[in-house]
Amino acid sequence: MVPAIRLTGVSRRFGALQAVRDVSFDVQPGERRAVLGPNGAGKTTLFNTICGDFPPTAGTIQLFGADITYLKPHQRTRLGIGRTYQTSLLFNGLTVLDNLFVAVRGLRCNRFSFLRPSRGDDGAAKARELADRMRLSHLLDAEVVNLSHGQRRQLEVGMAMAGDPRVLMLDEPAAGLSPGDRPELLKLLRELPRTLTLILIEHDMDIALPAADIVTVMKDGEVVVEAAPDRIEDDPVVQAIYLGAPGEGIH
Amino acid sequence: MRDRFALFALAGLALMVAAPFLLQAVLPANQAQFWTANVLGRAVVFGIIAMSLTFLATYGGFISLAQMMIAGVAGYTVAVFVEGAVPRIVGGLGYGLAIPLGVLAATVMGLVVGAISVRTRDIYLLMITLALSMGVFRFVETNIAWFNGYEGIRNVVGPELFGLGFRDPWLFYYVALGTAALLLAGVLYLVRSPFGLVLQGIRDNPRRVAALGYDVALHRIAAFGVAGFIAGCGGVLATIYNIGISPGSIGLGATVNVLIMSVIGGLGHPVGAFLGSLIFTVFDTFAANLYDRDRFNTLIGAVFLIIVLVSPDGVIGIGARLRRLLGGSKP
C-alpha cells in the first residue's frame, strides 16, 4: 500500500540550530499517528516542513506517493493536507460562519470569485454542517474575536476539516484547554472518519494515547521511539524523557 | 445592525442628492453653485480616491500610498489621448474612449503596484508604495515629450452630456455622486463575496488563508487591481474637475492629503473616506476666511490631531463612541 505520508531523511536547520535531524517514517492511510516529545524536540518544525511553511534542508516528503517536498502550502492543501496550528490562527474580524465558509471554499475550483454565491451554492450549508459537528452551531454569527479559548480550538479543527482533507495534521489541539474541555475534544477526534489519516502533535498523553494507533516520540530533532500507545508509558526512554531523568522538565 | 447601517447610508445618499437644492434655498445663487461644485463635488471626487485607500486598509490591512499616483495615471491617460487637450500629445480619442482607457490604465497600474509590493507588509508596504508614487511623480515631472513636464496638460474639459458641458456644476456634481454611490455599493457587495471574505482573512491571518488552499498573492494583487479601478474613476473625475492635470496633483502633498482624508474619516468602513474628504475639503476651502490661507496646514494638522486623539477610528468611530457614552446599546 502507498503510504499517506512518507518522510525520508527529513532534516531542517535554522542557522546553527539543527531543529529536525534525519527523520524517516511512513504513515499508512487511515492511521492515527501521535507525535510526542518535550518542548524543543522539533515536532512543530517537522509539521511545518510537511505542511510547506518552509522546505526541509535535506530529505524528501511524499504524499500518497507524490513528491511534495518543494510545493507551497496552498498547493499541498489542494493535494489533501489539512492542518491546525498550535496557537489558533483564525480570522478574528469575521464571524464563525464566515470563517468556516472561507475554509469550505478553499479547495473549490471557483475559490477565486468576485460574485456572491448563488442560492444553489452549498458552501454556506456545508459551513453550517461543520459548525454543527464542531458544536459551534449556536455561535454562527458571533465574531471570532469574542470566542472562548475552547471554542477557538474547536473552530480551528473545523477549519482544517473543511476541505475534506485526506491527511489531517493537528498541532497540539488540546493546548490551553481546561480539563473540562479535554474529553469533549477527545470525543471529537474519535468521531473523525476512519478514512482520514491523522497526525497529531500532543503534550497531553491523556489525549494522545487514546487517539493514536502508533506513537512517535521525538527528542532533540530525532525520532527516539516508535511504538503502539499501550507500550509507550512503560517504555524506559519515554519515562526518562517525561518523568524526569536528570536535566529534563516535566511536561 | 446591518439594516440600521443601510438606513443611515440611504439617508446620507438622499441628503447628498438633495444638497444642491437645499443650498439653493438658503444661499445666494453663486454661493450655492460654489458649494455644489467646489466643496461637495470636490469632496465626492477625492472621497472616491480616498475610498480606494480605505478599501485596501479596512478589508486587506494594506496601507497603500500609491492611490493618488494611480488616480493620476488615469488622469494622465485621458489627458494624453483625448482630443482637445493642450498641448496635444497623442489626441484623437473622444471622451467615450479616453475615459474607459484611463480607468483601465489605472487598474493595470494597481495590479502592477500590487504585484511589486506583494511580499511586503506594514511599514515596508507603506515605503514601497510611497517610493513607486514618487518615482512616477518624478518621471512625469521631468518628461516633456509625453507629459509636458512641470506644466502638465490643460483643457481636459470632459464630455458633453444632455446638451450640457461636463463643467456644469450640477451635472458634474451628480455624475460624481452617482459614480461614488455605485462604487461604494460595489465595494459593499464585494466584501461579502468569496473574494472579499478571503481578503479579510488575509488581513487577519495570511498564513491560515494559504493553509486553506488559497493563493494569497493572487488575492492581494487582485485587491490592488480593484483599488486601482476605484482610484482611476476618481482620477478621471479629478482631472476633469481641474480641467487638466499636472505633476503637482500626484506629488507628495496630494498623496499625504488622501491619507489624511482617510484617517480623519476612519478606516472602519469605506463610507468614512467620504466623510473625511468632506471635512478636509471644507477646511481646505475656507481656511483663508477662518484663519489665514498660508496656515492651512497648521489648521488641518490640528483638526487631524484632535480627531485622532478623540476617536482613533476617525469620524465614523465617533457615532459608536457617543452611543456607548450615552449608555445605549452595545457596539
Side-chain angles (χ1 to χ4, degrees), chain B residues 25 53 96 161 186 200 227 256 295:
Chain B
L53 190 156
L161 282 178
Q200 292 167 80
V256 172
R295 296 272 182 258

Side-chain angles (χ1 to χ4, degrees), chain A residues 177-216:
Chain A
L177 283 189
S178 68
D181 287 338
R182 282 163 191 254
E184 183 83 345
L185 179 80
L186 186 60
K187 215 170 118 206
L188 222 143
L189 293 182
R190 292 183 128 171
E191 280 173 13
L192 296 175
R194 279 312 289 201
T195 49
L196 188 73
T197 309
L198 185 71
I199 305 180
L200 173 78
I201 295 181
E202 192 50 72
H203 274 318
D204 187 344
M205 290 226 193
D206 296 337
I207 298 268
L209 299 186
D213 301 329
I214 300 187
V215 178
T216 301

Side-chain angles (χ1 to χ4, degrees), chain A residues 29-44:
Chain A
E31 186 181 313
R32 269 83 173 110
R33 169 76 61 126
V35 181
L36 293 178
N39 281 329
K43 304 183 300 291
T44 296

Side-chain angles (χ1 to χ4, degrees), chain A residues 44-225:
Chain A
T44 296
T45 302
L46 182 67
F47 239 52
N48 286 342
T49 56
I50 296 173
C51 295
D53 286 16
F54 36 73
T57 36
T60 59
I61 303 164
Q62 289 182 339
L63 177 71
F64 292 101
D67 188 340
I68 59 164
T69 314
Y70 296 105
L71 294 187
K72 290 178 179 166
H74 67 263
Q75 293 168 323
R76 298 182 196 217
T77 305
R78 289 173 196 174
L79 291 176
I81 293 184
R83 78 167 294 184
T84 68
Y85 294 86
Q86 201 169 338
T87 46
S88 304
L89 294 188
L90 304 169
F91 308 138
N92 282 330
L94 298 177
T95 63
V96 169
L97 184 62
D98 285 343
N99 267 264
L100 289 170
F101 179 71
V102 169
V104 164
R105 291 186 54 101
L107 291 179
R108 302 205 169 167
C109 49
N110 61 347
R111 69 180 85 81
F112 181 85
S113 169
F114 286 114
L115 299 177
R116 291 188 188 176
S118 60
R119 284 184 185 282
D121 188 271
D122 65 334
K126 185 137 188 262
R128 280 172 212 279
E129 188 191 303
L130 259 175
D132 210 34
R133 264 165 74 192
M134 297 300 137
R135 298 169 181 81
L136 290 168
S137 43
H138 57 297
L139 291 164
L140 285 179
D141 293 323
E143 277 197 17
V144 167
V145 70
N146 297 323
L147 296 189
S148 74
H149 183 75
Q151 290 161 343
R152 292 174 68 89
R153 296 311 285 172
Q154 281 159 266
L155 181 56
E156 181 78 23
V157 177
M159 287 177 71
M161 291 287 298
D164 293 322
R166 295 192 283 174
V167 177
L168 180 63
M169 319 246 320
L170 303 178
D171 192 350
E172 293 195 32
L177 283 189
S178 68
D181 287 338
R182 282 163 191 254
E184 183 83 345
L185 179 80
L186 186 60
K187 215 170 118 206
L188 222 143
L189 293 182
R190 292 183 128 171
E191 280 173 13
L192 296 175
R194 279 312 289 201
T195 49
L196 188 73
T197 309
L198 185 71
I199 305 180
L200 173 78
I201 295 181
E202 192 50 72
H203 274 318
D204 187 344
M205 290 226 193
D206 296 337
I207 298 268
L209 299 186
D213 301 329
I214 300 187
V215 178
T216 301
V217 181
M218 288 180 74
K219 185 172 179 293
D220 298 332
E222 289 177 299
V223 174
V224 288
V225 179

